[in-house]
């Protein structure tokens, strides 16, 4: 029962297990036995967090340096470093990155969190080191300054994350991106960066782009993006007035919290999509006249914003091949009582997608108490001729709403009684977490 079965595993498997652990824990395994004494030196990953190292005899910089000197892995798969300015000399960081690059580094993650963010202390990523031909993933986080006076040379880079870093100027952005001819994934998280007026992304190889930007300063114009190979776009948050996109191959987009774009070409640049999730304010977005989503087969929309149904009508009228429609409120405990009600005006003509394409209709957290939502649901059921399944669900009922249960069931039963255009439509009504009703017409 006390036999050491872990040590009987092959070294290759042990190295794989150790590669998931921080380096300080990996080094600690060297005291287990003679077999483990040197095993840690071959682990292909090095991971350090200055908060985890407190020693009376060595500084954090000395510990990292000793680890590099002892490390024997022929290829360094990953070097992850979280550090604060009070723990070590920032000059050492550049030295370690240079050593890692010389060992054919594949992934580099630098996360700089100064003890006092108000001091303005930053770590400048060494542009002289941006010539690593083996680096495939680069992640820079927080108070790191991107200062690239000339184009970098990172031919193998596939993934780049820039999370709340700062940029010396717009040229630094262009020089960084232009030197990555194989870049496929880019994630941008930005806050207030007053030195940038236009954020230009021109990467022919880019396939996935994520943007989270809460910068709403008057000096920031917005984004200018030319990505002819882009397949997936995720916008988590956007406050800037302009977002110009050229992505003719774009297949899927998730457009989240966008509140101030004034460019009427924004939705027009997404017409190549097959799948689209929208969480837009109809009051903020101008729908481009004449833009047709000829390829769109799946649409999901959030129903939290006032008069969201106006945008839904426009999307139905201009998506002739739509097969899947999902309406949802992603916040479980959100109530729409604060939204201003209004009359929904049904389309002048029944949209083509309802007549010949729509097969699946899902409405999550359907608000049974709002008249416009009942009207929309009824209209779709009455006109979707090829509909195969329609699912309606409401928020789970709490103790305070038990008295409204009969009223809720009455409304949903009214939907069940709607004469549906499709004889094959299977209607599923979900009253709460435990009570479902299914019915086929």
């Amino acid at each position: 029962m006390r036999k050491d079965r872990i040590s009987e595993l092959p070294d290759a498997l042990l190295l794989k297990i150790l590669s998931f652990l921080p380096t300080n824990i990996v080094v600690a395994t060297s005291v287990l036995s003679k077999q483990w004494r040197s095993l840690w030196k071959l682990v292909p990953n090095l991971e350090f967090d200055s908060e985890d190292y407190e020693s009376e005899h060595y500084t954090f910089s000395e510990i990292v340096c000793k680890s590099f000197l002892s490390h024997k892995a022929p290829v360094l798969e990953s070097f992850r470093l979280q550090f604060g300015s009070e723990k070590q000399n920032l000059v050492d960081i550049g030295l370690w990155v240079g050593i890692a690059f010389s060992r054919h580094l594949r992934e580099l993650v630098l996360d700089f969190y100064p003890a006092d963010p108000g001091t303005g202390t930053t770590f400048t990523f060494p542009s002289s080191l941006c010539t690593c031909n083996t680096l495939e993933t680069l992640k820079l986080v927080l108070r790191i300054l991107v200062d690239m006076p000339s184009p970098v040379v990172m031919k193998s880079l596939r993934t780049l994350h820039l999370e709340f870093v700062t940029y010396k100027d717009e040229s630094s952005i262009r020089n960084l991106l232009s030197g990555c001819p194989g870049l496929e994934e880019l994630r941008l998280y930005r806050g207030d960066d007053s030195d940038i007026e236009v954020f230009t992304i021109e990467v022919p190889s880019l396939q996935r782009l994520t943007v989270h930007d809460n910068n709403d300063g008057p000096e920031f114009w917005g984004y200018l993006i030319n990505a002819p190979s882009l397949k997936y776009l995720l916008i988590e948050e956007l406050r800037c007035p302009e977002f110009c996109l050229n992505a003719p191959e774009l297949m899927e987009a998730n457009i989240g919290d966008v509140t101030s774009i004034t460019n009427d070409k924004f939705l027009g640049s997404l017409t190549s999509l097959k799948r689209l999730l929208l969480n837009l304010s109809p009051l903020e977005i101008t729908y481009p006249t004449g833009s047709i989503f000829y390829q769109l087969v799946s649409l999901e929309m959030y129903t939290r914003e006032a008069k969201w149904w106006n945008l839904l009508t426009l999307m139905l009228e201009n998506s002739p091949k739509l097969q899947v429609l999902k309406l949802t409120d992603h916040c479980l405990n959100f109530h729409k009582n604060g939204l201003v009600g209004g009359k929904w005006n049904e389309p002048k003509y029944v949209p083509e997608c309802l007549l010949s394409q729509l097969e699946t209709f899902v409405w999550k957290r359907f608000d049974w108490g709002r008249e416009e939502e009942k009207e929309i649901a009824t209209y779709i059921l009455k006109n979707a001729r090829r509909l195969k399944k329609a699912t309606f669900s409401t928020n789970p009922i709490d103790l305070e709403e038990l008295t409204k249960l009969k009223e809720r069931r009455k409304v949903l039963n009214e939907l069940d009684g709607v004469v549906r255009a499709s004889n094959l439509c299977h209607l599923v009504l979900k009253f709460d977490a435990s009570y479902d009703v299914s019915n086929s017409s």
Side-chain angles (χ1 to χ4, degrees):
M1 293 297 293
R2 296 185 179 182
K3 188 175 182 179
D4 181 8
R5 296 187 180 276
I6 293 181
S7 297
E8 295 178 354
L9 297 175
D11 284 355
L13 182 55
L14 292 176
L15 290 174
K16 184 68 174 179
I17 296 173
L18 292 175
S19 67
F20 292 103
L21 302 175
T23 299
N24 62 329
I25 296 178
V26 174
V27 173
T29 63
S30 62
V31 302
L32 295 178
S33 67
K34 183 178 180 180
Q35 176 190 359
W36 290 79
R37 187 174 303 166
S38 299
L39 192 61
W40 76 269
K41 300 178 182 180
L42 297 175
V43 175
N45 302 330
L46 289 175
E47 180 179 342
F48 302 96
D49 185 342
S50 60
E51 292 297 317
D52 294 336
Y53 290 84
E54 298 291 342
S55 173
E56 297 179 358
H57 306 289
Y58 301 103
T59 65
F60 175 69
S61 291
E62 290 173 335
I63 292 173
V64 176
C65 287
K66 288 171 65 68
S67 298
F68 266 111
L69 291 173
S70 301
H71 197 253
K72 305 298 181 183
V75 174
L76 188 56
E77 294 287 344
S78 176
F79 176 41
R80 296 170 173 261
L81 181 65
Q82 292 182 279
F83 58 100
S85 57
E86 77 285 358
K87 293 291 182 178
Q88 71 288 310
N89 190 333
L90 295 182
V91 176
D92 293 339
I93 309 299
L95 174 64
W96 301 335
V97 172
I99 295 174
F101 281 176
S102 69
R103 298 186 181 182
H104 313 290
L105 183 65
R106 304 284 176 80
E107 179 189 51
L108 174 63
V109 180
L110 295 180
D111 187 343
F112 178 39
Y113 49 91
D116 184 5
T119 62
T121 303
T122 60
F123 168 71
T124 302
F125 188 76
S127 59
S128 60
L129 296 177
C130 293
T131 57
C132 181
N133 287 327
T134 62
L135 194 66
E136 298 176 357
T137 299
L138 174 61
K139 300 178 182 180
L140 304 179
V141 184
L142 294 180
R143 299 297 291 275
I144 296 177
L145 176 64
V146 176
D147 180 6
M148 304 295 172
S150 59
V152 304
V153 181
M154 291 190 285
K155 297 180 180 180
S156 299
L157 197 69
R158 298 289 181 268
T159 302
L160 176 61
H161 293 188
L162 301 170
E163 303 181 13
F164 300 105
V165 301
T166 56
Y167 307 89
K168 181 181 179 181
D169 48 34
E170 295 176 16
S171 295
S172 293
I173 299 173
R174 290 192 293 268
N175 288 334
L176 174 59
L177 297 179
S178 64
C180 308
L183 188 64
E184 297 177 354
E185 179 183 348
L186 175 62
R187 293 188 182 184
L188 296 174
Y189 292 82
R190 297 185 63 233
D192 183 16
D193 192 345
S194 58
D195 294 330
I196 303 300
E197 181 179 355
V198 179
F199 201 109
T200 302
I201 301 172
E202 189 165 0
V203 184
S205 60
L206 192 64
Q207 296 186 25
R208 297 179 65 86
L209 173 62
T210 298
V211 177
H212 180 112
D213 193 329
N214 56 23
N215 187 347
D216 57 358
E219 70 286 338
F220 182 49
W221 179 86
Y223 286 84
L224 187 60
I225 301 173
N226 182 23
S229 300
L230 192 67
K231 300 294 190 298
Y232 176 79
L233 172 65
L234 169 59
I235 300 180
E236 296 181 348
E237 183 175 3
L238 204 59
R239 296 286 181 267
C240 59
E242 303 290 341
F243 191 87
C244 295
L245 174 68
N246 176 36
E249 299 297 321
L250 192 62
M251 304 289 287
E252 182 176 355
N254 184 330
I255 311 300
D257 187 6
V258 179
T259 59
S260 61
I261 288 180
T262 58
N263 188 353
D264 62 359
K265 296 181 180 179
F266 175 64
L267 282 178
S269 65
L270 305 177
T271 54
S272 64
L273 291 173
K274 287 191 175 182
R275 293 171 294 278
L276 174 61
L277 187 152
L278 285 176
N279 184 23
L280 300 176
S281 170
L283 302 179
E284 300 288 348
I285 296 296
T286 302
Y287 191 89
T289 304
S291 295
I292 307 296
F293 291 80
Y294 285 108
Q295 308 301 321
L296 193 67
V297 296
S298 177
L299 171 65
E300 182 173 355
M301 283 185 56
Y302 289 155
T303 62
R304 289 186 58 181
E305 299 290 345
K307 298 185 179 180
W308 61 268
W309 50 85
N310 292 333
L311 183 57
L312 171 65
T313 300
L314 290 170
M315 292 302 300
L316 290 177
E317 291 177 332
N318 293 280
S319 306
K321 296 183 180 180
L322 190 67
Q323 298 177 13
V324 178
L325 174 63
K326 296 181 180 180
L327 304 177
T328 184
D329 177 3
H330 66 297
C331 291
L332 179 62
N333 296 319
F334 176 77
H335 295 284
K336 300 175 187 173
N337 297 331
L339 291 183
V340 177
K343 180 176 176 53
W344 175 67
N345 296 316
E346 65 181 46
K348 185 176 181 180
Y349 302 102
V350 178
E352 183 178 345
C353 63
L354 297 185
L355 294 175
S356 61
Q357 298 292 328
L358 191 69
E359 297 181 351
T360 302
F361 179 35
V362 177
W363 199 325
K364 296 180 180 179
R365 304 189 182 102
F366 172 70
D367 194 335
W368 54 275
R370 297 185 69 87
E371 192 64 30
E372 64 273 4
E373 297 203 3
K374 289 186 288 184
E375 292 177 358
I376 294 170
T378 300
Y379 178 83
I380 292 176
L381 291 175
K382 282 185 174 181
N383 291 282
R385 296 180 180 178
R386 298 190 61 182
L387 194 62
K388 295 180 180 179
K389 186 175 183 179
T391 303
F392 294 86
S393 63
T394 62
N395 277 330
I397 298 175
D398 56 32
L399 293 177
E400 295 180 358
E401 292 185 308
L402 285 177
T403 57
K404 300 180 181 180
L405 181 57
K406 290 184 178 180
E407 184 179 352
R408 180 180 296 197
R409 289 178 178 173
K410 177 183 177 181
V411 173
L412 292 179
N413 284 331
E414 288 177 1
L415 290 177
D416 187 28
V418 172
V419 178
R420 301 189 280 280
S422 172
N423 292 327
L424 301 177
C425 180
H426 178 62
L427 185 63
V428 178
L429 306 176
K430 298 182 177 181
F431 296 104
D432 53 45
S434 60
Y435 185 79
D436 293 357
V437 172
S438 296
N439 185 27
S440 298
S441 62

